[in-house]
Amino acid sequence: MATSVLVVEDDVAIRDMLTFTLKQAGLTCESVGDAESGLDALKNNQPDMILLDWMLPGIDGIEFIRRLRANEFLANIPVIMLTAKGESEDMVKGLAVGADDYVNKPFSPPELIARIKAVLRRCQPPENEDAQKLQFGNLVLDTKSHRVTVDDVRVELGPTEFRLLHFFMKNPERAYGRSQLLDYVWGDTVYIEERTVDVHIRRLRKALEPTGHDQFIQTVRGVGYRFSVD
């Protein structure tokens, strides 16, 4: 089955270009012009990926992602946001609320397709780890159900935070620099800034804070981060 993408973009010319580019790459595509229509579309079909414009009329991109991540059935859909150059603060906000990647406008079609494929690859656990469970005390990560629980109570994580925690739990007690985490978690073919790691670390800690497990994500001064239960 072809990969399906929902495009949420209010500029007609850009929306048409995105639709053409995606179909040329062999992807199926549904496109809408505002966030409300995008949320309605999700009630009928769950796409493999969402391309989300940042500056939308009515509900903006930030609120769209917040609503998406708050929905148990939609929370794991990866989102790439489309931003105009110079909107770096918006980019940080987008990553903070749960976007998985961003592409600056204007962008080339090959770059966009490469980003989509990279995000989709890292959102799917390797087959040989499909049934793997990782556990430290009462913190359990299940790659098969794509859930994190503490005492059987689910911890809500976005896709990127899930992958980050998965990597840390597979490699405890070892410090990793930001560039290393970008390579291992995001992939070495994705070109994004190192501060992206800090944004997702903050999101991961915030999600783990109510149960006290945020202390497992430790900052190593001059190096980066590590996962430690000590």
Side-chain angles (χ1 to χ4, degrees), residues 8-28:
V8 186
E9 167 64 64
D10 65 319
D11 186 296
V12 176
I14 296 177
R15 189 166 70 242
D16 289 346
M17 182 271 289
L18 287 170
T19 300
F20 176 80
T21 297
L22 294 171
K23 290 182 177 179
Q24 285 290 103
L27 310 176
T28 62

Side-chain angles (χ1 to χ4, degrees), residues 2 20 53 60 83 88 93 106-107 111 130 135 137 154 162 167-168 173 190:
F20 176 80
D53 182 34
D60 63 11
T83 68
S88 60
K93 290 178 183 177
F107 49 82
E111 177 195 5
D130 201 35
Q135 182 169 358
R154 185 172 182 179
F162 182 91
F167 176 78
F168 276 136
E173 306 299 338
V190 179

Side-chain angles (χ1 to χ4, degrees), residues 101 114-115 117-119 121-122 163 167 178-193:
D101 200 357
R115 290 292 187 95
K117 290 181 178 179
V119 170
R121 279 196 304 271
R122 67 179 190 251
R163 292 192 304 275
F167 176 78
R178 292 169 179 81
S179 61
Q180 290 177 303
L181 289 171
L182 283 175
D183 286 346
Y184 289 130
V185 179
W186 278 260
D188 58 8
T189 61
V190 179
Y191 302 100
I192 53 181
E193 299 176 16

Side-chain angles (χ1 to χ4, degrees), residues 174-218:
R174 178 176 174 182
Y176 290 92
R178 292 169 179 81
S179 61
Q180 290 177 303
L181 289 171
L182 283 175
D183 286 346
Y184 289 130
V185 179
W186 278 260
D188 58 8
T189 61
V190 179
Y191 302 100
I192 53 181
E193 299 176 16
E194 290 189 2
R195 64 174 174 166
T196 298
V197 174
D198 299 328
V199 173
H200 287 288
I201 288 287
R202 287 197 296 270
R203 281 184 54 81
L204 178 57
R205 283 174 170 164
K206 184 176 180 181
L208 296 174
E209 186 176 8
T211 61
H213 293 85
D214 56 309
Q215 298 179 23
F216 288 6
I217 312 299
Q218 300 178 355

